[in-house]
Amino acid sequence: MPRLRFNRTCLSPHDLAICERVFDQVCADEHLNPLDPDAEILAVMVVAIFRNAHTGEHELLEAVRSRRQKVAGSGH
């Protein structure tokens, strides 16, 4: 029997909606233009964190905010 593997390479419409709401919220919080190159980095971060099991919207938002604070605090 083939081994079943959980595939997180593609996002369902529901998953994408969660990521988009979190992205929009962080952009609003940080007064970041969604078309700015820094927003592209944010989008990649949101999806990466989502794929690493933070699939609840609130949990994802908190994880992204925490990660952004760590990055800002390190001077990068």
Side-chain angles (χ1 to χ4, degrees), residues 18-70:
I18 289 171
C19 291
E20 186 172 17
R21 286 192 298 270
V22 168
F23 172 82
D24 290 342
Q25 183 62 56
V26 174
C27 282
D29 291 349
E30 297 183 9
H31 307 289
L32 182 63
N33 179 340
L35 301 177
D36 188 280
D38 287 338
E40 185 174 344
I41 294 167
L42 171 61
V44 170
M45 178 186 290
V46 169
V47 172
I49 293 171
F50 180 88
R51 286 184 174 155
N52 286 313
H54 293 284
T55 57
E57 187 169 342
H58 179 73
E59 180 185 26
L60 178 61
L61 181 58
E62 292 306 312
V64 171
R65 284 176 174 162
S66 175
R67 178 72 176 156
R68 298 279 291 178
Q69 287 175 351
K70 286 178 186 174

